[in-house]
Amino acid sequence: MTIETVRVPDLGGAEEVEVIEISVAVGDRVEVDQTLLVLESEKATMELPSPVAGVVARFLVAEGDKIKKAGIPLLEITIDGAVAARTPTETGAPATPTGAAKSGAAKSVQPARVEAPKPASAAVPAADSEPEPMAPAASAVATPAPAAEVGAAAQNPPPAATGAGIYAGPYVRRLARELGVDLARVSGSGPRQRVLKEDVQAFVRQRLTQPTAAAGGGAIPAVPEVDYARYGLVTTGELSKIGRLTAANMHRSWLNVPHVTQFDDADITELEAFRQTRKGEAETRGVKLTPVPFILKACAIALRDNPVLNRSLARDGAHFVQREYFHLGMAVDTPRGLLVPVVRDVDRKGIWELAAEVAALGDKARAGKLTTNEMQGACFTISSLGALGGRGFTPIVNTPEVGILGVSRAAVQPVWNGREFMPRTMLPLALSYDHRVVNGGDGGRFLTQLVALLSDIRLLLM
Ligand code: CAO
């Protein structure tokens, strides 16, 4: 009995590849050239064929692992006796490029026999943990992964997620789920009609640019292509992974959600005075006490008292999911793009605890260390541009959430108290909501309560 170790082939110039799908399981009998797993670089998707026939003995990598070096062992196959084998020993089998890979970068992925890397045990040197480029962001806002909406999803699972008989890997299924694509309607261009990432993207492109047969013609007019270079010097660049996902999520929200945005100002003069008195204690605790933890707390209370804002619309459009927890997304602007970590159970936490968590999640987001779990499960999102400036903006709802609060920079303004103008610190707030679920009255009550809570923070205790 011989053990064949299958290794990462030459990366063909790619800096990193990700294991996006493991196509066989331990104990499976595989034939020569049968796809074992699928690797993806920035430019290409590659199916890794089995160099031998045998039985899969064990995996040394898992889906999602990122690999930066050829020669890393991926899995072991037990060759039983006289079965055919392309190579008798350790192999970095040539990867088979698929989809876009056929035309471009994949050409450089070469069949290679590679030197065995040193220890096989520490299977894969993981890349810096790149946060799952998830959902959300809004015009000036963010978005948590829709996958987080377990309740709604459980009630109405998208056919694409579970469609039996559809040949697609978990990465492509996840992409389809995120984009709301029914995989059953996508033609696969990969081997054995496998649906590739490029097929899903092409499907979405086609749906967005072609007229629909719907009465009233809901087609989106295509933006004409412009030759910018005709008018001056230009350069081009590629959106980051997070940037691309944010763009897709924002587009989806913009097209699906009828938005309304309401505005109000909270008088946070007392809050600011209180905050200044706690600066010494904040320093002792090693925590920065900004307005954000107070806003989080106020939102959790307003969500509790206005539960409509804590709902999501079920896929059938006739039911809703009511959340009984209060997890709030918080948009963080990072060099990699917009990320939305989630502060859980805000209703059960005190201001100091929230302040520490806001700072920790903000730091983690900027360092690219957020886990997928830390970006899922939000009920409602807050996008604070208060530290940057600006008098107001209209955030885009991070669907399937139904509300988002945009916070702008507080400023001292003259406010008429019935007898005279008084200098008061006013905080501009903008509440955007999904008008399919939230009516103006619901939005108005929510925002009015929020303003009251921030204007008199004693109410946060009630
Ligand atoms: N008005 C006036 N000042 C404000 C303010 C507001 N609304 N909000 C915060 N500030 C002040 C803070 O008090 C702090 O000043 P002091 O140290 O003197 O108290 C300063 O601005 C910086 O705050 P911060 O940004 O470090 O911390 P924060 O708690 O306000 O925000 C976080 C935390 C994570 C939201 C923030 O670090 C961040 O990343 N903000 C960007 C969010 C973003 O990009 N949103 C939009 C998405 S982009 O499309």
Side-chain angles (χ1 to χ4, degrees), residues 111-136:
R113 253 180 99 80
V114 292
E115 291 302 309
K118 287 167 200 146
S121 56
V124 179
D128 287 351
S129 75
E130 167 120 5
E132 171 106 343
M134 37 171 304

Side-chain angles (χ1 to χ4, degrees), residues 194-262:
R194 177 195 189 79
V195 180
L196 308 175
K197 176 184 80 177
E198 291 76 15
D199 299 325
V200 174
Q201 290 168 337
F203 180 85
V204 171
R205 243 192 326 270
Q206 189 257 340
R207 294 302 300 261
L208 291 177
T209 53
Q210 297 237 327
T212 68
I220 302 167
V223 177
E225 183 118 26
V226 175
D227 179 7
Y228 302 100
R230 276 182 58 200
Y231 309 107
L233 185 64
V234 294
T235 59
T236 59
E238 202 180 348
L239 291 179
S240 68
K241 214 165 161 188
I242 294 172
R244 289 199 298 273
L245 204 54
T246 299
N249 288 330
M250 287 305 94
H251 198 195
R252 181 182 56 203
S253 283
W254 187 255
L255 293 176
N256 279 297
V257 176
H259 281 74
V260 174
T261 305
Q262 285 184 212

Side-chain angles (χ1 to χ4, degrees), residues 140-141 275 279 288 290 331 333 338 366 383-384 386-387 408 410 427:
V141 186
R275 204 168 65 83
K279 285 237 156 167
K288 193 165 163 192
T290 69
D333 187 26
L338 184 58
R366 283 181 281 268
S383 177
S384 172
S408 295
L427 178 70

Side-chain angles (χ1 to χ4, degrees), residues 77-438:
I77 297 175
T78 307
I79 306 173
D80 46 359
V83 287
R86 184 192 292 161
T87 56
T89 53
E90 292 191 332
T91 310
T96 308
T98 62
K102 284 173 188 150
S103 55
K107 284 184 190 144
S108 57
V109 175
Q110 291 165 17
R113 253 180 99 80
V114 292
E115 291 302 309
K118 287 167 200 146
S121 56
V124 179
D128 287 351
S129 75
E130 167 120 5
E132 171 106 343
M134 37 171 304
S139 61
V141 186
T143 307
E149 299 310 303
V150 179
Q155 285 203 353
N156 296 286
T162 53
I166 296 166
Y167 187 30
Y171 170 82
V172 168
R173 285 175 186 274
R174 193 176 70 211
L175 179 70
R177 256 200 315 277
E178 286 168 352
L179 296 175
V181 171
D182 178 357
L183 276 182
R185 303 175 66 188
V186 181
S187 318
S189 66
R192 285 170 288 137
Q193 281 77 54
R194 177 195 189 79
V195 180
L196 308 175
K197 176 184 80 177
E198 291 76 15
D199 299 325
V200 174
Q201 290 168 337
F203 180 85
V204 171
R205 243 192 326 270
Q206 189 257 340
R207 294 302 300 261
L208 291 177
T209 53
Q210 297 237 327
T212 68
I220 302 167
V223 177
E225 183 118 26
V226 175
D227 179 7
Y228 302 100
R230 276 182 58 200
Y231 309 107
L233 185 64
V234 294
T235 59
T236 59
E238 202 180 348
L239 291 179
S240 68
K241 214 165 161 188
I242 294 172
R244 289 199 298 273
L245 204 54
T246 299
N249 288 330
M250 287 305 94
H251 198 195
R252 181 182 56 203
S253 283
W254 187 255
L255 293 176
N256 279 297
V257 176
H259 281 74
V260 174
T261 305
Q262 285 184 212
F263 304 90
D264 208 343
D265 293 335
D267 182 339
I268 60 165
T269 311
E270 310 303 337
L271 188 161
E272 282 301 274
F274 174 73
R275 204 168 65 83
Q276 295 310 322
T277 65
R278 309 321 300 167
K279 285 237 156 167
E281 185 179 353
E283 231 163 81
T284 313
R285 288 173 177 265
V287 170
K288 193 165 163 192
L289 190 60
T290 69
V292 170
F294 295 92
I295 297 169
L296 283 169
K297 192 74 186 170
C299 282
I301 294 172
L303 285 172
R304 180 197 67 194
D305 294 350
N306 299 274
V308 175
L309 273 292
N310 203 9
R311 289 180 181 167
S312 275
L313 194 59
R315 198 156 277 204
D316 64 5
H319 297 86
F320 62 82
V321 177
Q322 178 70 59
R323 297 182 189 80
E324 303 294 345
Y325 50 83
F326 303 92
H327 305 335
L328 299 187
M330 179 184 72
V332 182
D333 187 26
T334 82
R336 295 168 186 225
L338 184 58
L339 292 171
V340 189
V342 178
V343 185
R344 291 185 194 276
D345 298 313
V346 173
D347 55 317
R348 297 192 214 156
K349 292 177 178 162
I351 296 294
W352 288 119
E353 195 176 356
L354 291 172
E357 213 168 312
V358 165
L361 287 172
D363 288 347
K364 262 181 124 175
R366 283 181 281 268
K369 301 278 189 225
L370 286 174
T371 63
T372 302
N373 192 41
E374 285 171 320
M375 294 188 283
Q376 291 183 336
C379 311
F380 180 92
T381 293
I382 292 172
S383 177
S384 172
L385 290 175
L388 300 179
R391 296 177 57 194
F393 61 99
T394 54
I396 298 176
V397 170
N398 183 18
T399 192
E401 294 164 35
V402 297
I404 181 164
L405 184 75
V407 181
S408 295
R409 188 166 188 79
V412 176
Q413 290 179 13
V415 176
W416 182 250
N417 69 3
R419 291 184 313 280
E420 57 189 335
F421 281 105
M422 296 294 291
R424 308 293 292 177
T425 306
M426 306 302 289
L427 178 70
L429 301 173
L431 173 73
S432 292
Y433 51 83
D434 182 340
H435 207 346
R436 295 172 304 174
V437 178
V438 181

